[in-house]
Amino acid sequence: MKNSFKRITALAIGLGIGMGAASNAFAKSSLEEVMKERGLTQKDLLAAAKTYTPTGGRDEYLAFSSGGQSGHVIVYGVPSMRILKYIAVFTPEPWQGYGFDDESKAVLAQGKINGNDITYGDTHHPAFSETKGEYNGRYLFINDKANPRIAVIDLHDFETKQIVVNPFMKSEHGGAFVTPNTEYVMEASQYAAPFSDDFVPLEEFNEKYRGAVTYWKFDDKKGRIDSEMSFTFELPPYSQDLSDAGKGPSMGWGFTNSFCSERYVGGIERGRPPFEAGCSQKDTDFLHVTNWKKAAELVAAGKVKKSKGAYMIPMDQAIKEGLLYLIPEPKSPHGVDVSPDGTHIIVSGKLDSHAWVYSWDKIQKAIKNKKFEGKDPYGIPIIAMKDALHTQVQVGLGPLHTQYDAKKCVVYTSIYVDSMVTKWDYCEGKVLDQLHIHYNIGHLVAMEGDSVSPDGKYLISLNKLAIDRFNPVGPLHPQNHQLIDISGDKMQLLYDMPLPLGEPHYVVAIKADKLKPAVRYKSGWNSRADAKSPYATRAGREKVVRGEDGVVHVYGTVIRSHITPEIIEVEEGDTVSIHLTNLERAEDETHGFALYNENVNLSIEPGKTVSATFEAEKAGVFPYYCTEFCSALHLEMQGYLLVKPKGYVAKAGAIKEGTKYTQADYDKQVKTNVDTQAVIDSVVGFITSHNYKDFPEVVALVEDATDQLGFAEEAKKKSESYASKGDYQNGTLWAGQWWQYQVKTADLGLRAKTFLEEHGAKKVK
Ligand code: CUK
Ligand code: CUA
């Protein structure tokens, strides 16, 4: 029996099946034993050592990944590849209460198109805000391909603050890309469509269908896009693709790819060859070069007209003013990536095995000397390829995107068809190394790779397929992000991370210490508007009032472990608006609020005020409670919404107590409290006899504990006052509440004590 089990285990390991191996490995104590048991090599151990992050450890970089069709952003650490957060952006997300509280509903409502709620997104390209071309860690932008929209996420609290809808486009892809001081956020269309919202037959494709690139003005002080000062270039119907902003010498310019410059319109059902055939006939498509700096000057000078309420620069104006040029680029290109110093632009043709390197110097000269090889059908000047090209390099079949290394001239290009990463030198034009990945890489990201000073170190391959990499979970596989060490001459594959959310496209990674997110909000804060909430409520000021708007407003608070009010009474047919402020100051003391039947589900982080408005249509009893396990008495963090029938007359009499308490009960509770106080005193003694003030984490815990002890004191007074009048029912209950606050104090004190012990705090005299 024992022998046969051994044999099966050995066989399983031989076949590379992890059956039982992992659990057995834990029983082993030596490294050699674990390696043998799990079938690990030295190389595996080295990779593990480069990624493993012990408990409490931090990552050097944070990666912000597009969440694809989930409409979210996924945040994970590098090199540990541990997922830290999903930021809800275009899609409701219950954990964060996003799309469930009035404040975040208002953000989602900004993304309505023609009055329709769009509750998903096809996110592709996240981008950090920049100062002088360096990531400044303040904002993140992301686009929605399906519904041409851009969202603004504030990295102060990792929340989505704004969604803007492009007034001209019907789809987009070339966003979000920022200019070096976040002056503008670029967004380029994808599938050509009429700018108008009416029906235009395909027969009028060449004349009335259009592409576009919008430069969204970003107001850095407000942290919001300023639609009023944004402008759009009208472009030919060439299926514009990715974009990138110039920097250094190319500062002030933007670059946008295109495919299907054939302007082909398919229609298999009409007997026409499909799009894919008609869109890949020509050997070249067009790189669009736009001068945003000069365009902004024209806008400021009042020389640009508005259309559909937004500034729009028609093609003839752009041509006349010298704002728009075309350069042939390899067939069906995909990525366009400007070098960190802004001197070169790398474009890859999906149907070509070359990456093409353009020289900004040459492009600029051609523009200056008006050296063009002709015009496109819309009159846009075309710079000859030979007048713009620096070099072309054979990198592999199906090159897509390029990332820049910290080492000068070194880049990494994703090779879709060959499933590999090619490392090459774009100055010398030679291939340096190639690494196979599993399978079909799309984008790739190097640390701070889009900034003017990339860090290199790690590269993440963002793969479209996950065949044979993970335990099967049904026909829909996760995506696979593969971590690669690029610090040496040879690339080394370190780790596979399955990502089970959407089809993520691009990721940007920033040095973790550039981010300084808050741990709490200012008290009574509307986080979505970044302003004090008019519904902010302080402790002791909770109330239920019928406003002039006829709405029953509940001004409530939450704090461990009660929701005030605990009983809300309204009448059937009332509109109810519940506003809850989290009074906690302590880190990570989030409370939730879930209400039966009304689709109300809130996340209330310390300091935050959120609201939920709904119609109490039917009379009934609706329990509510806190959804976060916030303290030992979390389950008791509950209440009732009582919706009374119209004209209901209350029956006489008080609530009948479920349990009656006597003096003996009171004495027993008080004894417990006195004992608990002794424990608290000893913990306090330990803390104050150490240099706890040197540890900000402990100082915060002590502050919180002091608050809780203050609450305990208040409850104690109430309890003693009732008991002195012989009311042992209320005396005992308040003594119980007094004890609850003591328990919270003790809990905090013990956390502080443990922290001090673990961090080698010193005894002070
Ligand atoms: S795209 Cu997906 S792999 Cu939208 Cu940037 Cu290239
Ligand atoms: Cu608050 Cu559970």
Side-chain angles (χ1 to χ4, degrees), residues 386-436:
K386 64 171 172 22
D387 292 333
L389 205 61
H390 163 65
T391 185
Q392 65 194 92
V393 180
Q394 185 134 21
V395 289
L397 207 56
L400 298 184
H401 301 284
T402 295
Q403 283 280 290
Y404 292 84
D405 198 347
K407 293 173 212 125
K408 210 170 177 317
C409 300
V410 175
V411 287
Y412 303 85
T413 297
S414 54
I415 313 293
Y416 180 80
V417 179
D418 282 341
S419 284
M420 63 181 187
V421 175
T422 296
K423 176 181 179 178
W424 55 289
D425 181 319
Y426 68 88
C427 303
E428 301 285 325
K430 62 173 188 225
V431 170
L432 302 171
D433 186 25
Q434 292 189 308
L435 179 77
H436 279 277

Side-chain angles (χ1 to χ4, degrees), residues 127-131 133-141 153 155 178-182 218 220 510:
F128 290 116
S129 55
E130 295 179 6
T131 305
E134 297 283 3
Y135 300 164
N136 61 26
R138 297 179 59 212
Y139 298 97
L140 184 84
F141 308 94
I153 296 157
L155 295 176
V178 302
T179 57
N181 292 299
T182 328
F218 187 64
D220 198 73
I510 187 170

Side-chain angles (χ1 to χ4, degrees), residues 590-592 626-631 634 637:
T590 295
H591 298 285
C626 168
T627 51
E628 292 272 332
F629 212 109
C630 50
S631 61
H634 146 78
M637 199 163 169

Side-chain angles (χ1 to χ4, degrees), residues 436-737:
H436 279 277
I437 52 86
H438 307 263
Y439 298 92
N440 296 67
I441 181 174
H443 273 274
L444 72 185
V445 55
M447 302 303 101
E448 303 223 334
D450 287 340
S451 74
V452 291
S453 61
D455 286 8
K457 291 190 181 180
Y458 303 103
L459 185 76
I460 306 166
S461 160
L462 314 171
N463 305 344
K464 301 301 182 191
L465 307 178
I467 302 166
D468 88 11
R469 291 292 95 181
F470 308 111
N471 297 56
V473 288
L476 182 62
H477 289 38
Q479 310 287 314
N480 184 9
H481 285 195
Q482 291 190 300
L483 182 68
I484 299 162
D485 180 353
I486 54 168
S487 57
D489 287 340
K490 292 269 160 209
M491 293 179 276
Q492 198 187 36
L493 186 59
L494 297 179
Y495 191 70
D496 283 10
M497 178 183 69
L499 211 54
L501 200 72
E503 203 225 271
H505 289 261
Y506 190 38
V507 174
V508 284
I510 187 170
K511 240 188 154 13
D513 61 17
K514 284 191 182 174
L515 300 171
K516 304 265 184 296
V519 296
R520 70 181 70 79
Y521 290 104
K522 288 179 203 161
S523 181
W525 204 246
N526 173 343
S527 68
R528 303 290 168 177
D530 272 329
K532 180 109 184 169
S533 168
Y535 307 112
T537 304
R538 293 202 318 230
R541 303 287 176 84
E542 298 88 353
K543 61 183 177 186
V544 180
V545 291
R546 192 174 292 272
E548 281 171 17
D549 50 5
V551 173
V552 179
H553 288 275
V554 179
Y555 293 80
T557 61
V558 288
I559 191 163
R560 277 158 291 166
S561 311
H562 47 263
I563 301 163
T564 310
E566 296 190 332
I567 298 159
I568 303 171
E569 292 180 272
V570 301
E571 219 177 59
E572 114 189 87
D574 279 342
T575 300
V576 183
S577 196
I578 298 178
H579 315 287
L580 294 173
T581 299
N582 184 339
L583 299 176
E584 305 279 0
R585 292 187 300 155
E587 183 167 352
D588 205 14
E589 277 300 345
T590 295
H591 298 285
F593 182 84
L595 171 65
Y596 165 70
N597 189 68
E598 302 292 351
N599 203 33
V600 170
N601 168 63
L602 309 174
S603 171
I604 324 162
E605 294 91 70
K608 204 179 204 180
T609 297
V610 290
S611 307
T613 305
F614 56 92
E615 308 293 326
E617 278 167 350
K618 273 184 65 190
V621 174
F622 304 82
Y624 54 80
Y625 67 97
C626 168
T627 51
E628 292 272 332
F629 212 109
C630 50
S631 61
L633 271 289
H634 146 78
L635 294 179
E636 290 76 359
M637 199 163 169
Q638 59 168 154
Y640 289 102
L641 168 71
L642 303 172
V643 181
K644 298 182 285 190
K646 274 224 156 63
Y648 176 79
V649 183
K651 296 196 185 89
I655 294 175
K656 289 195 199 82
E657 299 295 345
T659 306
K660 289 243 164 50
Y661 302 102
T662 61
Q663 182 170 7
D665 293 316
Y666 174 76
D667 290 343
K668 193 172 156 222
Q669 183 63 58
V670 169
K671 167 137 196 338
T672 304
N673 295 6
V674 170
D675 293 346
T676 305
Q677 194 58 45
V679 175
I680 293 172
D681 291 344
S682 89
V683 173
V684 168
F686 178 91
I687 295 168
T688 51
S689 67
H690 286 74
N691 59 334
Y692 79 95
K693 287 189 179 150
D694 295 341
F695 303 90
E697 296 88 344
V698 175
V699 171
L701 287 170
V702 168
E703 270 180 23
D704 191 16
T706 310
D707 284 351
Q708 298 295 333
L709 211 51
F711 299 146
E713 191 56 35
E714 286 169 33
K716 179 173 183 251
K717 278 193 194 127
K718 281 186 189 160
S719 154
E720 287 169 349
S721 154
Y722 278 114
S724 69
K725 286 178 259 170
D727 180 351
Y728 291 107
Q729 186 69 18
N730 279 305
T732 307
L733 287 168
W734 278 110
Q737 184 60 45

